[in-house]
Amino acid sequence: MGTIIGAGASMLREDDVSTNGSGAEATAADVDLDVVVVGAGFAGMYLLHRLRGLGLSARVIEAGADVGGTWYWNRYPGARCDIQSVDYSYSFDPELDETWKWTEKYAPQPEILRYAQHVADKHDLRRDIQFSTRVESAVWDESASRWQLRTSDGRTITSRFYVMATGCLSMPKEVDIAGTDRFAGEVYFTSRWPHEGVDLSGKRVGVIGTGSSAIQSIPIMAAEAAQLTVFQRTPNFSMPANNGPIPQEKLDALAKGRPQYREAARWSGAGVTVEISTTSALAVSEEERLAKYEDVWEHGGIIQVINSYMDNLVNPAANELLCEFVRNKIRATVNDPETAEALCPKTFPIGTKRLCVDTGYYETFNRPNVRLVDLREHPIASITETGVDLVDESLEFDVIVFATGFDAMTGAIVGVDITGRDGLTLKQAWSEGPKTYLGLMAAGFPNLFMITGPGSPSVLSNMMVSIEQHVDWIADCIDQLRADGLSTIEPTPAAVDGWVQHVNDYASITLMPQANSWYMGANVPGKPRVFLPYAGGVDRYRTICNEVVADDYLGFERRGPDGQRRNDGVVRRVQPDVQLMLEAMAGMNLPTMDSMSAAEAREFSNAIAAQRAPGPDVGEIVDGVLPGAAGDLTYRLYRPASPGPHPIVVYFHGGGWVLGSHDSDDPLCRDLCVRSDAILVSVDYRHAPEARFPAAADDAFAATQWIAENAAALGGIPGDLAVAGWSAGGNLAAIVSQLARDAGGPRILGQLLLTPVTDCDFSRASYTENADGYVLTTPLMHWFWNHYADPEDRTSPKASPIRAESLADLPPAMVVTCEFDPLRDEGAAYAEALAAAGVPVRHLPCRGQIHTSLPAVDMLLSGVQIRAEMAAAIRGFFTANVPA
Ligand code: N01
């Protein structure tokens, strides 16, 4: 019997609802339940099981006549999963693993469907599933804190919670080809294949589409049909399934302990335990690379292929190597070179569309009864009564098969008319793309959950693992609400916006958005182009979901009869690649620099610097010596490859006046040189504690004077001089600008201040907010200042440039600050003070960045655009393009 949760509204108990053997059927016009779930696929089935376990009254509404979801509908010949069946199966019931034996590595659709039916039988699920019924509309009733649902059988159900377990690939895409209705022959959709099967023997068959569904079914249809014509608009990458018995290594891994095996999958990136490479495809010999590709091609699956090298999905050059490996496989398989070339994908990076898995797909094009029509060369003009008219040829068919895909991830959710609070429909709320918190809920739609919704790893993972994680999270959440006497939950708009941003940030450090894929909504005309799944991985996502709960449901508002609990906030604000770096550093247990002597800290930072990516090639690098304030200083000059002379930027490295060198900032100098087409002269000023304040400032100014005087000899344009610096170097660049103004020269055209030290005041909020955990810590800043300057010197403008008597008449500036940096607020304050003094200034606050992330050239992709803007500012200094 169902327990009623929440308070207030009247609820019928489960035993108030009569049921029969074929599924629950309402006898009363109004049925009130704790939870209604839409969809009896693997998600809805497991959720029903969990809800029952919690003693909640629940009903699943399913459009099909039985359980299985995707595997109920997609019955086209050759349909199989592309994740091995021992992985693509429930883990919640260990008995299932013991009793169910998969016959093959990749089980066919009928077997997966039988598995779903077996689970339904074993757990007696069907008695709470209403089959052959659709939810037509769902409206949130604020006064009753309930969803009001209207179903296709004309009934009304009310429920406290409403869960869309509708699957990511369940809403077939509408066919967008002219004349589709005119065809008088047989028409089939792979996504809605007739249950009784289709006899294609002796028939002329046309297949439109070359996605996973087509690629699996084409070899089988070709063997049966008299003629098969494949209409291909975009070729896809496909790898052989190499199907057969379950591989021995898989059986061995399971034999070692299934619970451990399952747990490892839960904490893996894709929901399947595979070896994740930590090597760049560009860092190994061609021989080694090809051997690795061959190995994963023969013995792995799509996840192993994509993970064969760490940079396959982030570096275009690495990706292209894998693309070409696959293209060569296609060329080696297909006899006709023209057909082979037409089958080779060349318009998107591999892995940015779901990699297909086939059995004999490319070989099929060697059959005499199979023809490939390349729609890019010969577009379809229209479908006719008898077949397909290309712009240059008419083709006749008995059968047309549409394998044209799905309105993925959002289609099935917005397909139900859902109206949340204040009459807002989900369609309206998502008109510019789905906006969810964790892919689980949307703001304005209380108590509406989605399983594997947009913004969750879902289709980028083993769906079974993601489904179980979501179901568990939702069930636990409902249970907790009940325990706390609360009746509604809903994410805050800020949490949703933050999550949408995080999902986008993750996608944008990968190559994924580059393809016109259904991941991007690009396959459906008019659908907003937004990357739909979460690319951060199942493991990271699970951690985040757990953190949200542990942090008292961060980002959610919960309400009940006794009041509300609103815990507003954003769960991940650091840029994803920066976060990865922080996690990697945390894993290394590095000592803190402020616990070291200056000499030890220098050695330590040099060792770290030696491991970085080198940065881009520049035209020329010259090391030299120039006179400083108290002796010679070394400098390193970076010259662009373009013909000179060039403007000159005098650059000061970071390191808190204690550490750093030409080497430490070498990648950044190269990058700025290449991007700005200016000479950078990196000056190595004297360091503290050996040379304390004002040695660094005096050296920086002396070096700038010398460089200005010797510009022509250095290959520069005399008079075209700017200064730049990072951190303590930004401090020096700001001070040099002031000293040059006060001394009447040299004339400086611009100052680029990257996360500069501008003040000795530690009371600004960024010092407390970011005191620890973002590499540059507040204790480390104390350590730097202590080494550099006595307290009474620190307020001098030569140490704290924000304290200058006047900031008027300084060169135009760009000030870059990072969100998670103790120096953030003093940088912002300096930009504000410059602006107040009439100096043209652009302040660029960098969301999600830390003090050390922007100089990490070729390591952190999220900094690329920011460095491009810094370089644009440098160019602007020399073209009097005042920053704005
Ligand atoms: O659909 P798709 P799918 N004119 O969108 C073409 C999963 N799945 O059903 O790329 C001409 O991939 C379209 O061309 P283009 C898996 O995640 C898994 O095959 O838009 N052509 C494309 O070639 C998969 O990714 C398995 O230029 C038109 C094809 O139709 C997802 O489901 C098996 C067209 C659609 O391909 C979807 O796969 C099956 C038009 N107007 C599916 N409109 C396994 O587990 C569309 N196309 C192995």
Side-chain angles (χ1 to χ4, degrees), residues 71-90:
W71 303 102
Y72 172 86
W73 296 106
N74 287 271
R75 297 165 185 250
Y76 59 83
R80 288 173 192 275
C81 190
D82 54 8
I83 301 288
Q84 291 197 35
S85 296
V86 288
D87 297 310
Y88 190 86
S89 50
Y90 285 127

mmCIF file with all atom_site columns, all heavy atoms in Angstrom, residues 71-90:
data_model
loop_
_atom_site.group_PDB
_atom_site.id
_atom_site.type_symbol
_atom_site.label_atom_id
_atom_site.label_alt_id
_atom_site.label_comp_id
_atom_site.label_asym_id
_atom_site.label_entity_id
_atom_site.label_seq_id
_atom_site.pdbx_PDB_ins_code
_atom_site.Cartn_x
_atom_site.Cartn_y
_atom_site.Cartn_z
_atom_site.occupancy
_atom_site.B_iso_or_equiv
_atom_site.pdbx_formal_charge
_atom_site.auth_seq_id
_atom_site.auth_comp_id
_atom_site.auth_asym_id
_atom_site.auth_atom_id
_atom_site.pdbx_PDB_model_num
ATOM 1   N N   . TRP A 1 71 ? 13.825 -0.055 -26.856 1.00 0.00 ? 71 TRP A N   1
ATOM 2   C CA  . TRP A 1 71 ? 13.965 -1.432 -27.358 1.00 0.00 ? 71 TRP A CA  1
ATOM 3   C C   . TRP A 1 71 ? 12.622 -2.063 -27.694 1.00 0.00 ? 71 TRP A C   1
ATOM 4   O O   . TRP A 1 71 ? 12.547 -3.132 -28.267 1.00 0.00 ? 71 TRP A O   1
ATOM 5   C CB  . TRP A 1 71 ? 14.764 -2.278 -26.347 1.00 0.00 ? 71 TRP A CB  1
ATOM 6   C CG  . TRP A 1 71 ? 16.085 -1.614 -26.116 1.00 0.00 ? 71 TRP A CG  1
ATOM 7   C CD1 . TRP A 1 71 ? 16.452 -0.863 -25.046 1.00 0.00 ? 71 TRP A CD1 1
ATOM 8   C CD2 . TRP A 1 71 ? 17.179 -1.574 -27.037 1.00 0.00 ? 71 TRP A CD2 1
ATOM 9   N NE1 . TRP A 1 71 ? 17.701 -0.358 -25.229 1.00 0.00 ? 71 TRP A NE1 1
ATOM 10  C CE2 . TRP A 1 71 ? 18.179 -0.782 -26.439 1.00 0.00 ? 71 TRP A CE2 1
ATOM 11  C CE3 . TRP A 1 71 ? 17.420 -2.117 -28.299 1.00 0.00 ? 71 TRP A CE3 1
ATOM 12  C CZ2 . TRP A 1 71 ? 19.404 -0.524 -27.069 1.00 0.00 ? 71 TRP A CZ2 1
ATOM 13  C CZ3 . TRP A 1 71 ? 18.638 -1.865 -28.922 1.00 0.00 ? 71 TRP A CZ3 1
ATOM 14  C CH2 . TRP A 1 71 ? 19.603 -1.071 -28.312 1.00 0.00 ? 71 TRP A CH2 1
ATOM 15  N N   . TYR A 1 72 ? 11.577 -1.372 -27.323 1.00 0.00 ? 72 TYR A N   1
ATOM 16  C CA  . TYR A 1 72 ? 10.237 -1.774 -27.751 1.00 0.00 ? 72 TYR A CA  1
ATOM 17  C C   . TYR A 1 72 ? 9.979  -1.235 -29.157 1.00 0.00 ? 72 TYR A C   1
ATOM 18  O O   . TYR A 1 72 ? 9.439  -1.930 -30.018 1.00 0.00 ? 72 TYR A O   1
ATOM 19  C CB  . TYR A 1 72 ? 9.192  -1.218 -26.764 1.00 0.00 ? 72 TYR A CB  1
ATOM 20  C CG  . TYR A 1 72 ? 7.772  -1.418 -27.219 1.00 0.00 ? 72 TYR A CG  1
ATOM 21  C CD1 . TYR A 1 72 ? 7.102  -2.604 -26.934 1.00 0.00 ? 72 TYR A CD1 1
ATOM 22  C CD2 . TYR A 1 72 ? 7.106  -0.430 -27.947 1.00 0.00 ? 72 TYR A CD2 1
ATOM 23  C CE1 . TYR A 1 72 ? 5.791  -2.795 -27.361 1.00 0.00 ? 72 TYR A CE1 1
ATOM 24  C CE2 . TYR A 1 72 ? 5.800  -0.614 -28.372 1.00 0.00 ? 72 TYR A CE2 1
ATOM 25  C CZ  . TYR A 1 72 ? 5.147  -1.805 -28.079 1.00 0.00 ? 72 TYR A CZ  1
ATOM 26  O OH  . TYR A 1 72 ? 3.855  -1.994 -28.505 1.00 0.00 ? 72 TYR A OH  1
ATOM 27  N N   . TRP A 1 73 ? 10.377 0.004  -29.396 1.00 0.00 ? 73 TRP A N   1
ATOM 28  C CA  . TRP A 1 73 ? 10.042 0.670  -30.667 1.00 0.00 ? 73 TRP A CA  1
ATOM 29  C C   . TRP A 1 73 ? 11.039 0.347  -31.776 1.00 0.00 ? 73 TRP A C   1
ATOM 30  O O   . TRP A 1 73 ? 10.653 0.162  -32.923 1.00 0.00 ? 73 TRP A O   1
ATOM 31  C CB  . TRP A 1 73 ? 10.000 2.188  -30.465 1.00 0.00 ? 73 TRP A CB  1
ATOM 32  C CG  . TRP A 1 73 ? 8.924  2.641  -29.519 1.00 0.00 ? 73 TRP A CG  1
ATOM 33  C CD1 . TRP A 1 73 ? 9.088  3.091  -28.244 1.00 0.00 ? 73 TRP A CD1 1
ATOM 34  C CD2 . TRP A 1 73 ? 7.518  2.688  -29.771 1.00 0.00 ? 73 TRP A CD2 1
ATOM 35  N NE1 . TRP A 1 73 ? 7.875  3.411  -27.685 1.00 0.00 ? 73 TRP A NE1 1
ATOM 36  C CE2 . TRP A 1 73 ? 6.884  3.176  -28.600 1.00 0.00 ? 73 TRP A CE2 1
ATOM 37  C CE3 . TRP A 1 73 ? 6.715  2.352  -30.875 1.00 0.00 ? 73 TRP A CE3 1
ATOM 38  C CZ2 . TRP A 1 73 ? 5.511  3.346  -28.501 1.00 0.00 ? 73 TRP A CZ2 1
ATOM 39  C CZ3 . TRP A 1 73 ? 5.345  2.535  -30.782 1.00 0.00 ? 73 TRP A CZ3 1
ATOM 40  C CH2 . TRP A 1 73 ? 4.752  3.021  -29.598 1.00 0.00 ? 73 TRP A CH2 1
ATOM 41  N N   . ASN A 1 74 ? 12.300 0.349  -31.468 1.00 0.00 ? 74 ASN A N   1
ATOM 42  C CA  . ASN A 1 74 ? 13.320 0.236  -32.522 1.00 0.00 ? 74 ASN A CA  1
ATOM 43  C C   . ASN A 1 74 ? 13.593 -1.224 -32.850 1.00 0.00 ? 74 ASN A C   1
ATOM 44  O O   . ASN A 1 74 ? 14.542 -1.832 -32.350 1.00 0.00 ? 74 ASN A O   1
ATOM 45  C CB  . ASN A 1 74 ? 14.616 0.947  -32.090 1.00 0.00 ? 74 ASN A CB  1
ATOM 46  C CG  . ASN A 1 74 ? 14.458 2.455  -32.129 1.00 0.00 ? 74 ASN A CG  1
ATOM 47  O OD1 . ASN A 1 74 ? 14.699 3.098  -33.149 1.00 0.00 ? 74 ASN A OD1 1
ATOM 48  N ND2 . ASN A 1 74 ? 14.000 3.010  -31.023 1.00 0.00 ? 74 ASN A ND2 1
ATOM 49  N N   . ARG A 1 75 ? 12.785 -1.753 -33.735 1.00 0.00 ? 75 ARG A N   1
ATOM 50  C CA  . ARG A 1 75 ? 12.873 -3.187 -34.059 1.00 0.00 ? 75 ARG A CA  1
ATOM 51  C C   . ARG A 1 75 ? 13.405 -3.415 -35.461 1.00 0.00 ? 75 ARG A C   1
ATOM 52  O O   . ARG A 1 75 ? 13.195 -4.470 -36.040 1.00 0.00 ? 75 ARG A O   1
ATOM 53  C CB  . ARG A 1 75 ? 11.487 -3.816 -33.994 1.00 0.00 ? 75 ARG A CB  1
ATOM 54  C CG  . ARG A 1 75 ? 10.875 -3.772 -32.622 1.00 0.00 ? 75 ARG A CG  1
ATOM 55  C CD  . ARG A 1 75 ? 9.393  -4.061 -32.685 1.00 0.00 ? 75 ARG A CD  1
ATOM 56  N NE  . ARG A 1 75 ? 8.805  -3.907 -31.365 1.00 0.00 ? 75 ARG A NE  1
ATOM 57  C CZ  . ARG A 1 75 ? 8.354  -4.926 -30.628 1.00 0.00 ? 75 ARG A CZ  1
ATOM 58  N NH1 . ARG A 1 75 ? 8.378  -6.144 -31.084 1.00 0.00 ? 75 ARG A NH1 1
ATOM 59  N NH2 . ARG A 1 75 ? 7.861  -4.703 -29.431 1.00 0.00 ? 75 ARG A NH2 1
ATOM 60  N N   . TYR A 1 76 ? 14.025 -2.426 -36.024 1.00 0.00 ? 76 TYR A N   1
ATOM 61  C CA  . TYR A 1 76 ? 14.503 -2.580 -37.403 1.00 0.00 ? 76 TYR A CA  1
ATOM 62  C C   . TYR A 1 76 ? 15.529 -3.714 -37.456 1.00 0.00 ? 76 TYR A C   1
ATOM 63  O O   . TYR A 1 76 ? 16.157 -4.049 -36.435 1.00 0.00 ? 76 TYR A O   1
ATOM 64  C CB  . TYR A 1 76 ? 15.102 -1.261 -37.912 1.00 0.00 ? 76 TYR A CB  1
ATOM 65  C CG  . TYR A 1 76 ? 16.263 -0.753 -37.085 1.00 0.00 ? 76 TYR A CG  1
ATOM 66  C CD1 . TYR A 1 76 ? 17.561 -1.226 -37.297 1.00 0.00 ? 76 TYR A CD1 1
ATOM 67  C CD2 . TYR A 1 76 ? 16.066 0.195  -36.086 1.00 0.00 ? 76 TYR A CD2 1
ATOM 68  C CE1 . TYR A 1 76 ? 18.624 -0.765 -36.531 1.00 0.00 ? 76 TYR A CE1 1
ATOM 69  C CE2 . TYR A 1 76 ? 17.114 0.656  -35.322 1.00 0.00 ? 76 TYR A CE2 1
ATOM 70  C CZ  . TYR A 1 76 ? 18.400 0.165  -35.557 1.00 0.00 ? 76 TYR A CZ  1
ATOM 71  O OH  . TYR A 1 76 ? 19.441 0.604  -34.792 1.00 0.00 ? 76 TYR A OH  1
ATOM 72  N N   . PRO A 1 77 ? 15.693 -4.326 -38.641 1.00 0.00 ? 77 PRO A N   1
ATOM 73  C CA  . PRO A 1 77 ? 16.622 -5.454 -38.716 1.00 0.00 ? 77 PRO A CA  1
ATOM 74  C C   . PRO A 1 77 ? 18.039 -5.024 -38.346 1.00 0.00 ? 77 PRO A C   1
ATOM 75  O O   . PRO A 1 77 ? 18.506 -3.979 -38.786 1.00 0.00 ? 77 PRO A O   1
ATOM 76  C CB  . PRO A 1 77 ? 16.545 -5.880 -40.191 1.00 0.00 ? 77 PRO A CB  1
ATOM 77  C CG  . PRO A 1 77 ? 15.756 -4.850 -40.903 1.00 0.00 ? 77 PRO A CG  1
ATOM 78  C CD  . PRO A 1 77 ? 15.031 -4.023 -39.910 1.00 0.00 ? 77 PRO A CD  1
ATOM 79  N N   . GLY A 1 78 ? 18.661 -5.797 -37.504 1.00 0.00 ? 78 GLY A N   1
ATOM 80  C CA  . GLY A 1 78 ? 20.050 -5.503 -37.127 1.00 0.00 ? 78 GLY A CA  1
ATOM 81  C C   . GLY A 1 78 ? 20.185 -4.618 -35.912 1.00 0.00 ? 78 GLY A C   1
ATOM 82  O O   . GLY A 1 78 ? 21.312 -4.285 -35.512 1.00 0.00 ? 78 GLY A O   1
ATOM 83  N N   . ALA A 1 79 ? 19.058 -4.210 -35.296 1.00 0.00 ? 79 ALA A N   1
ATOM 84  C CA  . ALA A 1 79 ? 19.159 -3.298 -34.144 1.00 0.00 ? 79 ALA A CA  1
ATOM 85  C C   . ALA A 1 79 ? 19.872 -3.982 -32.980 1.00 0.00 ? 79 ALA A C   1
ATOM 86  O O   . ALA A 1 79 ? 19.500 -5.083 -32.561 1.00 0.00 ? 79 ALA A O   1
ATOM 87  C CB  . ALA A 1 79 ? 17.766 -2.856 -33.716 1.00 0.00 ? 79 ALA A CB  1
ATOM 88  N N   . ARG A 1 80 ? 20.902 -3.332 -32.511 1.00 0.00 ? 80 ARG A N   1
ATOM 89  C CA  . ARG A 1 80 ? 21.662 -3.807 -31.348 1.00 0.00 ? 80 ARG A CA  1
ATOM 90  C C   . ARG A 1 80 ? 22.124 -2.594 -30.578 1.00 0.00 ? 80 ARG A C   1
ATOM 91  O O   . ARG A 1 80 ? 22.100 -1.487 -31.096 1.00 0.00 ? 80 ARG A O   1
ATOM 92  C CB  . ARG A 1 80 ? 22.940 -4.549 -31.786 1.00 0.00 ? 80 ARG A CB  1
ATOM 93  C CG  . ARG A 1 80 ? 22.711 -5.889 -32.401 1.00 0.00 ? 80 ARG A CG  1
ATOM 94  C CD  . ARG A 1 80 ? 24.022 -6.439 -32.943 1.00 0.00 ? 80 ARG A CD  1
ATOM 95  N NE  . ARG A 1 80 ? 23.743 -7.584 -33.786 1.00 0.00 ? 80 ARG A NE  1
ATOM 96  C CZ  . ARG A 1 80 ? 23.585 -8.824 -33.330 1.00 0.00 ? 80 ARG A CZ  1
ATOM 97  N NH1 . ARG A 1 80 ? 23.721 -9.073 -32.043 1.00 0.00 ? 80 ARG A NH1 1
ATOM 98  N NH2 . ARG A 1 80 ? 23.305 -9.803 -34.157 1.00 0.00 ? 80 ARG A NH2 1
ATOM 99  N N   . CYS A 1 81 ? 22.639 -2.837 -29.403 1.00 0.00 ? 81 CYS A N   1
ATOM 100 C CA  . CYS A 1 81 ? 23.208 -1.741 -28.633 1.00 0.00 ? 81 CYS A CA  1
ATOM 101 C C   . CYS A 1 81 ? 24.677 -1.578 -29.015 1.00 0.00 ? 81 CYS A C   1
ATOM 102 O O   . CYS A 1 81 ? 25.295 -2.510 -29.515 1.00 0.00 ? 81 CYS A O   1
ATOM 103 C CB  . CYS A 1 81 ? 23.064 -2.056 -27.145 1.00 0.00 ? 81 CYS A CB  1
ATOM 104 S SG  . CYS A 1 81 ? 23.468 -0.646 -26.140 1.00 0.00 ? 81 CYS A SG  1
ATOM 105 N N   . ASP A 1 82 ? 25.231 -0.393 -28.800 1.00 0.00 ? 82 ASP A N   1
ATOM 106 C CA  . ASP A 1 82 ? 26.649 -0.213 -29.081 1.00 0.00 ? 82 ASP A CA  1
ATOM 107 C C   . ASP A 1 82 ? 27.498 -0.230 -27.809 1.00 0.00 ? 82 ASP A C   1
ATOM 108 O O   . ASP A 1 82 ? 28.677 0.114  -27.822 1.00 0.00 ? 82 ASP A O   1
ATOM 109 C CB  . ASP A 1 82 ? 26.897 1.059  -29.914 1.00 0.00 ? 82 ASP A CB  1
ATOM 110 C CG  . ASP A 1 82 ? 26.286 2.301  -29.263 1.00 0.00 ? 82 ASP A CG  1
ATOM 111 O OD1 . ASP A 1 82 ? 25.810 2.202  -28.120 1.00 0.00 ? 82 ASP A OD1 1
ATOM 112 O OD2 . ASP A 1 82 ? 26.301 3.365  -29.911 1.00 0.00 ? 82 ASP A OD2 1
ATOM 113 N N   . ILE A 1 83 ? 26.876 -0.589 -26.713 1.00 0.00 ? 83 ILE A N   1
ATOM 114 C CA  . ILE A 1 83 ? 27.593 -0.805 -25.445 1.00 0.00 ? 83 ILE A CA  1
ATOM 115 C C   . ILE A 1 83 ? 27.426 -2.294 -25.131 1.00 0.00 ? 83 ILE A C   1
ATOM 116 O O   . ILE A 1 83 ? 26.333 -2.837 -25.295 1.00 0.00 ? 83 ILE A O   1
ATOM 117 C CB  . ILE A 1 83 ? 26.971 0.023  -24.292 1.00 0.00 ? 83 ILE A CB  1
ATOM 118 C CG1 . ILE A 1 83 ? 27.002 1.530  -24.615 1.00 0.00 ? 83 ILE A CG1 1
ATOM 119 C CG2 . ILE A 1 83 ? 27.630 -0.281 -22.952 1.00 0.00 ? 83 ILE A CG2 1
ATOM 120 C CD1 . ILE A 1 83 ? 28.343 2.185  -24.556 1.00 0.00 ? 83 ILE A CD1 1
ATOM 121 N N   . GLN A 1 84 ? 28.484 -2.926 -24.669 1.00 0.00 ? 84 GLN A N   1
ATOM 122 C CA  . GLN A 1 84 ? 28.396 -4.374 -24.431 1.00 0.00 ? 84 GLN A CA  1
ATOM 123 C C   . GLN A 1 84 ? 27.277 -4.694 -23.434 1.00 0.00 ? 84 GLN A C   1
ATOM 124 O O   . GLN A 1 84 ? 27.092 -3.972 -22.437 1.00 0.00 ? 84 GLN A O   1
ATOM 125 C CB  . GLN A 1 84 ? 29.733 -4.899 -23.914 1.00 0.00 ? 84 GLN A CB  1
ATOM 126 C CG  . GLN A 1 84 ? 30.816 -4.845 -24.978 1.00 0.00 ? 84 GLN A CG  1
ATOM 127 C CD  . GLN A 1 84 ? 31.995 -5.721 -24.610 1.00 0.00 ? 84 GLN A CD  1
ATOM 128 O OE1 . GLN A 1 84 ? 31.846 -6.783 -24.002 1.00 0.00 ? 84 GLN A OE1 1
ATOM 129 N NE2 . GLN A 1 84 ? 33.183 -5.290 -25.003 1.00 0.00 ? 84 GLN A NE2 1
ATOM 130 N N   . SER A 1 85 ? 26.592 -5.795 -23.697 1.00 0.00 ? 85 SER A N   1
ATOM 131 C CA  . SER A 1 85 ? 25.381 -6.083 -22.927 1.00 0.00 ? 85 SER A CA  1
ATOM 132 C C   . SER A 1 85 ? 25.642 -6.296 -21.445 1.00 0.00 ? 85 SER A C   1
ATOM 133 O O   . SER A 1 85 ? 24.799 -5.939 -20.617 1.00 0.00 ? 85 SER A O   1
ATOM 134 C CB  . SER A 1 85 ? 24.676 -7.308 -23.516 1.00 0.00 ? 85 SER A CB  1
ATOM 135 O OG  . SER A 1 85 ? 24.262 -6.991 -24.819 1.00 0.00 ? 85 SER A OG  1
ATOM 136 N N   . VAL A 1 86 ? 26.779 -6.845 -21.081 1.00 0.00 ? 86 VAL A N   1
ATOM 137 C CA  . VAL A 1 86 ? 27.016 -7.023 -19.641 1.00 0.00 ? 86 VAL A CA  1
ATOM 138 C C   . VAL A 1 86 ? 27.136 -5.678 -18.935 1.00 0.00 ? 86 VAL A C   1
ATOM 139 O O   . VAL A 1 86 ? 26.925 -5.567 -17.727 1.00 0.00 ? 86 VAL A O   1
ATOM 140 C CB  . VAL A 1 86 ? 28.283 -7.880 -19.345 1.00 0.00 ? 86 VAL A CB  1
ATOM 141 C CG1 . VAL A 1 86 ? 28.054 -9.321 -19.683 1.00 0.00 ? 86 VAL A CG1 1
ATOM 142 C CG2 . VAL A 1 86 ? 29.502 -7.327 -20.030 1.00 0.00 ? 86 VAL A CG2 1
ATOM 143 N N   . ASP A 1 87 ? 27.478 -4.648 -19.713 1.00 0.00 ? 87 ASP A N   1
ATOM 144 C CA  . ASP A 1 87 ? 27.534 -3.303 -19.138 1.00 0.00 ? 87 ASP A CA  1
ATOM 145 C C   . ASP A 1 87 ? 26.192 -2.597 -19.274 1.00 0.00 ? 87 ASP A C   1
ATOM 146 O O   . ASP A 1 87 ? 25.802 -1.814 -18.415 1.00 0.00 ? 87 ASP A O   1
ATOM 147 C CB  . ASP A 1 87 ? 28.607 -2.464 -19.844 1.00 0.00 ? 87 ASP A CB  1
ATOM 148 C CG  . ASP A 1 87 ? 29.985 -3.050 -19.656 1.00 0.00 ? 87 ASP A CG  1
ATOM 149 O OD1 . ASP A 1 87 ? 30.344 -3.341 -18.503 1.00 0.00 ? 87 ASP A OD1 1
ATOM 150 O OD2 . ASP A 1 87 ? 30.704 -3.242 -20.655 1.00 0.00 ? 87 ASP A OD2 1
ATOM 151 N N   . TYR A 1 88 ? 25.515 -2.870 -20.390 1.00 0.00 ? 88 TYR A N   1
ATOM 152 C CA  . TYR A 1 88 ? 24.229 -2.232 -20.654 1.00 0.00 ? 88 TYR A CA  1
ATOM 153 C C   . TYR A 1 88 ? 23.134 -3.096 -20.025 1.00 0.00 ? 88 TYR A C   1
ATOM 154 O O   . TYR A 1 88 ? 22.323 -3.728 -20.697 1.00 0.00 ? 88 TYR A O   1
ATOM 155 C CB  . TYR A 1 88 ? 24.019 -2.097 -22.166 1.00 0.00 ? 88 TYR A CB  1
ATOM 156 C CG  . TYR A 1 88 ? 22.834 -1.245 -22.567 1.00 0.00 ? 88 TYR A CG  1
ATOM 157 C CD1 . TYR A 1 88 ? 22.946 0.136  -22.680 1.00 0.00 ? 88 TYR A CD1 1
ATOM 158 C CD2 . TYR A 1 88 ? 21.605 -1.822 -22.840 1.00 0.00 ? 88 TYR A CD2 1
ATOM 159 C CE1 . TYR A 1 88 ? 21.856 0.912  -23.047 1.00 0.00 ? 88 TYR A CE1 1
ATOM 160 C CE2 . TYR A 1 88 ? 20.507 -1.051 -23.213 1.00 0.00 ? 88 TYR A CE2 1
ATOM 161 C CZ  . TYR A 1 88 ? 20.644 0.319  -23.312 1.00 0.00 ? 88 TYR A CZ  1
ATOM 162 O OH  . TYR A 1 88 ? 19.559 1.082  -23.676 1.00 0.00 ? 88 TYR A OH  1
ATOM 163 N N   . SER A 1 89 ? 23.148 -3.160 -18.723 1.00 0.00 ? 89 SER A N   1
ATOM 164 C CA  . SER A 1 89 ? 22.136 -3.941 -17.997 1.00 0.00 ? 89 SER A CA  1
ATOM 165 C C   . SER A 1 89 ? 22.085 -3.384 -16.578 1.00 0.00 ? 89 SER A C   1
ATOM 166 O O   . SER A 1 89 ? 23.026 -2.738 -16.118 1.00 0.00 ? 89 SER A O   1
ATOM 167 C CB  . SER A 1 89 ? 22.510 -5.431 -17.991 1.00 0.00 ? 89 SER A CB  1
ATOM 168 O OG  . SER A 1 89 ? 23.838 -5.599 -17.567 1.00 0.00 ? 89 SER A OG  1
ATOM 169 N N   . TYR A 1 90 ? 20.972 -3.637 -15.919 1.00 0.00 ? 90 TYR A N   1
ATOM 170 C CA  . TYR A 1 90 ? 20.787 -3.085 -14.571 1.00 0.00 ? 90 TYR A CA  1
ATOM 171 C C   . TYR A 1 90 ? 21.829 -3.630 -13.600 1.00 0.00 ? 90 TYR A C   1
ATOM 172 O O   . TYR A 1 90 ? 22.243 -4.790 -13.697 1.00 0.00 ? 90 TYR A O   1
ATOM 173 C CB  . TYR A 1 90 ? 19.425 -3.498 -14.030 1.00 0.00 ? 90 TYR A CB  1
ATOM 174 C CG  . TYR A 1 90 ? 18.233 -2.772 -14.604 1.00 0.00 ? 90 TYR A CG  1
ATOM 175 C CD1 . TYR A 1 90 ? 17.168 -3.491 -15.141 1.00 0.00 ? 90 TYR A CD1 1
ATOM 176 C CD2 . TYR A 1 90 ? 18.146 -1.391 -14.556 1.00 0.00 ? 90 TYR A CD2 1
ATOM 177 C CE1 . TYR A 1 90 ? 16.035 -2.844 -15.623 1.00 0.00 ? 90 TYR A CE1 1
ATOM 178 C CE2 . TYR A 1 90 ? 17.014 -0.738 -15.043 1.00 0.00 ? 90 TYR A CE2 1
ATOM 179 C CZ  . TYR A 1 90 ? 15.971 -1.461 -15.574 1.00 0.00 ? 90 TYR A CZ  1
ATOM 180 O OH  . TYR A 1 90 ? 14.858 -0.821 -16.043 1.00 0.00 ? 90 TYR A OH  1
#
